[in-house]
Amino acid sequence: MNNSPTVLEIDLSSIEHNLNFFRSQLNPKTKILAVVKASGYGSDSVIMAETLEKLEVDYFAVAYADEGIALRSSGISTPILVLHPQLQNLEIICQNNLEPNLYSRRMLSEFLKLAKSLRLNNYPVHIKFNTGLNRLGFDAADIDFVCDNLKEQSLVRVKSIFSHLVASEDEGEKEFSLDQIEKFKSICSSFNSRLGYTPIRHMSNTSGILNYPETHFDMIRVGLGLYGFTNLTEKDSNLKNVLTLKTVISQIHSIKTGESVGYNRGFHAKSNMKTATLPIGHADGFFRSLGNGKTYVSVKGKKSQVIGNVCMDMIMIDVTDIPCKEGDEVIIFNSREEILLMADHSNSISYEILTAWGNRIRRVLK
Ligand SMILES: *Cc1c(COP(=O)(O)O)cnc(C)c1O
């Protein structure tokens, strides 16, 4: 049973189109890691991973162990990198054949202890280096520590070393990005020579793939791009929109001049009008900052403003000039332009709009 009629439609053919676009930007030998963390950027991680596995991506990445377990439980067999593993999950990570990012001294030491107690053999792990983001990762100065721990043991094997760009979409930070790339290259060469073998190297996210081809190394990590966005307006046109969010009208009201609509009388009618109530609210990810005329939705192909305050489960829209009735479909967004406008109107970015939608909203295939 599902009580909300609001659905997020996923267009699999757009995912394929977008993946193919990124493939066309790469040397055929460069591997592709698809980032499907945060429920596949708010879509559905299992649907995304099943689609992308058929399209033969080389790797998946998730943020936390449970996201990887969900993929394994639905039969995904492609290697899965866990970007932000937690100490208490390391054992379950191994039980599910997930591959941890060992990003700190504490994480590396604890994993090696566990590997010893589980008698692991060449278990695949990944080492992250911090080249400027100052979020997760070893510093260049830790190379000796890392390699001393990893040499001459066969409990784990380093499958990849990687780093993350700070501002790959920002032309104004080009110098900083180039400096990060140089740092990463130098880390890779001293790491590899001390380790004695050469793991896969990867550095670029979506906008890095397009702006810094020199960061492709052996593998790229594409997330946002698969969903149709690049962070670079001029490059977006190569991609197709994947997600459509739609709902239906619950009730229509005739409002008289001077009456108010919604909590705290956020809206006052300046003339007689018609409003529609929709079953989606801030608990579903429709940000409260989008109320009071900040954005619109589409009814019968016409724009309809959101009026008054966004409620937890509902919003009200102005349908005075739109012939419509209860039960009619309403499109919250069905294009990249509308998602970007919504981001703009809520002072946010595409990433946040994509991942905002709560689990009362059903995910369906287009
Ligand atoms: C989320 C994430 C990505 C994907 O970035 P996009 O800009 O969405 O392509 C890549 N690498 C790391 C480490 C991430 O956390």
Side-chain angles (χ1 to χ4, degrees), residues 35 37 41 83 128 135 162-164 204-207 221-225 231 351:
V35 182
K37 63 192 179 190
Y41 286 47
L83 292 165
K128 187 171 198 181
R135 193 173 70 175
F162 69 112
S163 189
H164 199 33
S204 41
N205 68 330
T206 295
S207 13
R221 302 190 301 270
V222 61
L224 187 71
N231 292 319
Y351 294 88

Side-chain angles (χ1 to χ4, degrees), residues 114-286:
L114 177 73
K116 202 167 183 181
S117 76
L118 297 177
R119 298 169 196 228
L120 299 180
N121 181 27
N122 283 324
Y123 195 87
V125 299
H126 303 259
I127 304 287
K128 187 171 198 181
F129 281 96
N130 173 25
T131 52
L133 185 58
N134 291 324
R135 193 173 70 175
L136 290 182
F138 289 103
D139 290 320
D142 296 317
I143 292 178
D144 281 341
F145 171 87
V146 177
C147 292
D148 288 347
N149 273 280
L150 292 175
K151 280 191 312 215
E152 288 153 22
Q153 54 78 40
S154 56
L155 298 169
V156 306
R157 185 165 174 96
V158 183
K159 276 284 284 289
S160 86
I161 62 174
F162 69 112
S163 189
H164 199 33
L165 292 163
V166 169
S168 54
E169 68 273 46
D170 188 350
E171 184 66 23
E173 292 292 355
K174 185 157 193 170
E175 212 178 310
F176 190 89
S177 300
L178 293 176
D179 180 63
Q180 278 195 281
I181 297 167
E182 283 318 303
K183 279 193 178 128
F184 184 59
K185 281 187 186 157
S186 123
I187 287 169
C188 289
S189 66
S190 44
F191 186 84
N192 290 353
S193 66
R194 266 164 241 213
L195 191 68
Y197 56 94
T198 52
I200 296 169
R201 299 159 303 162
H202 48 114
M203 189 178 208
S204 41
N205 68 330
T206 295
S207 13
I209 299 166
L210 302 172
N211 279 343
Y212 297 99
E214 67 269 44
T215 62
H216 295 181
F217 294 101
D218 309 307
M219 181 159 82
I220 54 87
R221 302 190 301 270
V222 61
L224 187 71
L226 296 172
Y227 306 89
F229 298 87
T230 60
N231 292 319
L232 312 157
T233 326
E234 70 285 2
K235 305 232 162 106
D236 270 5
S237 57
N238 295 303
L239 302 178
K240 288 191 178 162
N241 183 47
V242 170
L243 300 176
T244 297
L245 182 60
K246 48 192 197 184
T247 188
V248 294
I249 295 174
S250 296
Q251 191 175 12
I252 291 189
H253 290 279
S254 294
I255 308 285
K256 294 209 170 58
T257 309
E259 281 190 76
S260 64
V261 177
Y263 282 131
N264 301 100
R265 310 194 69 196
F267 177 85
H268 289 268
K270 293 200 179 61
S271 52
N272 291 344
M273 63 186 295
K274 197 169 68 166
T275 65
T277 303
L278 310 181
I280 183 168
H282 59 71
D284 300 299
F286 198 101

